[in-house]
Amino acid sequence: MADISNPAKNDPMFKLWTDRCLDEFFEQGDKERNMGVPISPNCDRNIVKRPDSQIGFIKFVVKPAYEVLGDILPAVKESILPIIDNNLQYWEEQKQTEQNGNNALEIRSTASMMHFTRPYPKTSYYAKGVPRKENEEEEEEAGAPEQPVDLAASGKDFGPDQGLLIV
């Protein structure tokens, strides 16, 4: 579920992670274009629209998976599925806004508007003391947690500059 959990996060996290994932997909598509090979689905920045990509992902992958999990764990049905439904509604509204030609649509990447204390890794944040990838230096940051933090279970509001491991 970790690989498909981004649409199950509250605002603004689901938007930030959407941008990060699409940025990674688009980088792959750019490399494929430069190599002259067919561009993988959802990796062509000239074709893919954020709302459409998320609506399909939520409707056909995320929501069905969480519905099955909700049958096993009722708390998922009560607390996570409403978040997914709200996020799906957000993307459907964004699609409608694009179709109506409203110039007020947020065009800039949410992730690019955030200020990070260091460049974010492609897949996770690291907490102080957690093993890093090869060739990655450990940074001592005041206030960074010693261990990975489960944001959903903690009930706290953490920002991306607090050295968190998000998996």
Side-chain angles (χ1 to χ4, degrees):
M1 297 302 269
D3 283 348
I4 64 169
S5 67
N6 296 336
K9 293 175 171 54
N10 283 313
D11 192 357
M13 293 307 290
F14 81 93
K15 294 175 193 171
L16 292 168
W17 282 105
T18 294
D19 287 340
R20 290 178 182 144
C21 289
L22 287 177
D23 286 346
E24 185 175 331
F25 295 167
F26 294 156
E27 286 179 28
Q28 176 181 329
D30 293 345
K31 289 179 183 177
E32 291 170 341
R33 181 180 290 107
N34 291 338
M35 292 171 46
V37 299
I39 299 173
S40 300
N42 289 319
C43 293
D44 191 338
R45 71 176 67 246
N46 300 320
I47 296 172
V48 174
K49 295 183 191 277
R50 287 173 64 215
D52 289 334
S53 71
Q54 296 309 293
I55 290 168
F57 181 51
I58 293 171
K59 281 185 175 179
F60 300 111
V61 178
V62 177
K63 191 170 180 181
Y66 276 90
E67 287 172 338
V68 170
L69 185 59
D71 290 339
I72 300 166
L73 301 170
V76 169
K77 194 173 280 187
E78 296 166 8
S79 61
I80 304 298
L81 282 173
I83 294 170
I84 293 170
D85 288 335
N86 287 340
N87 294 344
L88 177 58
Q89 181 180 352
Y90 169 83
W91 290 118
E92 288 171 340
E93 290 169 359
Q94 290 298 303
K95 180 178 180 173
Q96 188 63 43
T97 300
E98 280 186 8
Q99 289 174 342
N100 292 340
N102 186 338
N103 292 331
L105 177 65
E106 178 183 335
I107 297 172
R108 293 177 295 163
S109 164
T110 310
S112 70
M113 291 186 278
M114 297 297 293
H115 297 284
F116 296 98
T117 57
R118 63 190 177 289
Y120 64 88
K122 291 241 183 256
T123 56
S124 63
Y125 283 101
Y126 294 94
K128 187 169 71 172
V130 174
R132 305 287 200 270
K133 296 177 191 171
E134 260 186 66
N135 301 324
E136 186 174 336
E137 296 178 17
E138 173 143 349
E139 295 178 20
E140 291 296 322
E141 294 185 37
E146 291 295 325
Q147 296 298 318
V149 175
D150 179 348
L151 295 176
S154 72
K156 296 180 182 176
D157 184 21
F158 292 101
D161 60 339
Q162 292 178 289
L164 302 177
L165 173 66
I166 300 175
V167 292

